[in-house]
Every structure is written in C-alpha cells, then in structure tokens.
Amino acid sequence: MRALFTHHPDYADLTPFQYSEGLAWLRQAGLLAGADRPVVHLRERDLEEGGAAAPFHVLWDPAVQEAHRDIGTKGEIAVLRLLHDCGAAGVSHVAALSDAYGYDIAAVDTVSGEAAHIEVKTTTDPTRLVVHLSRHEFNVMCEDAQWIMAAVLIGADGRALNVATVSREWLGRTAPQDRHQSAGWESARFHVPAQALRRGIAGQRDSWLVPAEAAPHRPVWGWPAASVTWPAR
C-alpha cells in the first residue's frame, strides 16, 4: 500500500505520512466503521459539481437533483427525530407540504413557549460545511425572529452524526449585497466556519430545542474534539 501512495500519480498529492495521519483522524472522529469503511458517503462534492465524468456543459442533471433532494429529506427526518426525542412540542414537517414557508420544520420551544421555524441544511461531508441559501429563505430569515438554521451531518444510515445551529448574524453579514436595482441574487453558497456554529439547536432566549449535551457530535467542520466553549448568540 505504501508503494501505491509513493508511486501512483493519482495519490501524489499527499505523502504516505499525511495519508496515515488522515486515516488516524477519521478513526478518532468516529467516521470509520468496521474494516475502516466510512460511515458517511463522501460523494457530495461530486454531486455538487455534476460528477467527475460529467461533460462541462451540463448545467442540470435530474439524477443529481434527486440525490440532493434525498439527502435533504434524510436530514430533515433526522432533525424531526431529534426534536421529538428532546421533547419539543408542535413539531410539524412543513417542507413536506410546501416550499413557500422558507423553512422546513415548525416546532415550539417548551422552555420559552415560543415558536421555532427551522431551516435544515444537510451534508454528508465531514471535512467542511457548505450550505446553499435561497433568496426566499434569506428574506424569511430577515423578517422572522423565530427562523433558525440547523446544519446536520448524516451518516450512511440516515441518522444524524452532528447537529449545529448556524449564526443568523454571520449569515446576514456574509450574504451577497444587491448593488443595483436591476439585478439581485437568487441563491448563495456559504462556507460556514466553526466560529459561526453552536452545538445543538438553539431556540430563543438562551433555550434549546436540542440541547448541546443531547446533540450528536463529532470533531468535524473545524471543531476540535474536546471543545466546551461555543460562541454566544
């Protein structure tokens, strides 16, 4: 195997030591199952870019779109399960009814008694957190104080491996700006840094829909393995 990493051109980007360190990190993070098989499918970048073998002029592929939709639905179901397990009230999967809401799940925070409108962004990539936000979702965020973005990493079995709340303030600062009345953005892609995340799903007034200690957690997306301090809202 070392000879393969040393001499094969497809593996010349890293040294054998770097490959070994990467394997050790995956094991430490709990992202490998028996026989060092991955517990997540590391194919999202291929899906985002249409696949390595896709012609460069193909801008839309129904198979890719369906794969993204399936991943998103699995993430929403995983969050629904967590909300029920943590005792949230009035949980409703509104995305199954319509995309017009600008969020995916409605719930009630039993501590504050306030409504929560949760936009779920799902990924299968443990190395980075990339989310896509539509202009409609962004506008709802700006107008709705109960809007929350929850990011979830799902495993091959569809269960949540990591759940975090993305800072609304960070999204607002980072979103594109319309600079002319004749043009406006409709969708934006965000690379979310660790400092813009809080473990769990945070509700209003420092209450939690999914408490940090109850949320599944792996040292991914730039988070250290034993971090105990999270950004304040």
Side-chain angles (χ1 to χ4, degrees):
M1 183 63 71
R2 184 181 181 87
L4 177 66
F5 288 147
T6 303
H7 300 290
H8 197 289
D10 288 348
Y11 302 99
D13 55 337
L14 298 175
T15 67
F17 176 77
Q18 288 173 317
Y19 275 109
S20 176
E21 288 292 293
L23 178 61
W25 179 85
L26 288 171
R27 288 170 174 163
Q28 179 186 6
L31 295 173
L32 294 177
D36 284 341
R37 295 183 179 275
V39 298
V40 296
H41 295 299
L42 302 178
R43 297 288 299 172
E44 184 169 272
R45 291 182 187 177
D46 290 342
L47 293 176
E48 289 174 355
E49 298 167 7
F56 71 92
H57 59 275
V58 174
L59 300 180
W60 178 78
D61 186 331
V64 172
Q65 184 181 49
E66 183 60 32
H68 274 298
R69 185 181 295 113
D70 180 62
I71 290 171
T73 300
K74 287 179 178 177
E76 292 164 16
I77 292 172
V79 171
L80 286 166
R81 187 182 296 120
L82 284 170
L83 291 169
H84 284 297
D85 290 346
C86 292
V91 178
S92 177
H93 191 190
V94 300
L97 303 175
S98 173
D99 292 331
Y101 289 90
Y103 54 88
D104 299 307
I105 298 171
V108 175
D109 188 325
T110 55
V111 175
S112 67
E114 295 186 356
H117 301 150
I118 306 169
E119 172 63 26
V120 180
K121 297 300 183 183
T122 309
T123 182
T124 60
D125 190 343
T127 65
R128 60 176 186 167
L129 178 58
V130 177
V131 301
H132 294 80
L133 190 67
S134 72
R135 185 59 179 266
H136 175 57
E137 292 164 348
F138 178 78
N139 288 341
V140 172
M141 180 192 80
C142 293
E143 298 170 3
D144 181 358
Q146 279 74 47
W147 191 95
I148 299 166
M149 179 183 285
V152 56
L153 171 71
I154 60 169
D157 61 357
R159 290 191 172 271
L161 300 177
N162 218 68
V163 177
T165 304
V166 180
S167 166
R168 288 170 52 113
E169 291 76 14
W170 181 85
L171 288 169
R173 292 195 308 269
T174 312
Q177 300 294 318
D178 292 338
R179 300 188 180 278
H180 196 280
Q181 61 182 6
S182 63
W185 66 275
E186 287 298 320
S187 179
R189 186 183 187 194
F190 296 79
H191 292 254
V192 185
Q195 60 267 27
L197 299 172
R198 297 187 82 192
R199 184 176 168 187
I201 301 180
Q204 303 297 316
R205 302 181 183 179
D206 291 323
S207 60
W208 295 87
L209 291 150
V210 177
E213 60 272 15
H217 175 62
R218 303 290 175 91
V220 297
W221 302 338
W223 279 349
S227 179
V228 296
T229 302
W230 304 95
R233 286 190 296 148

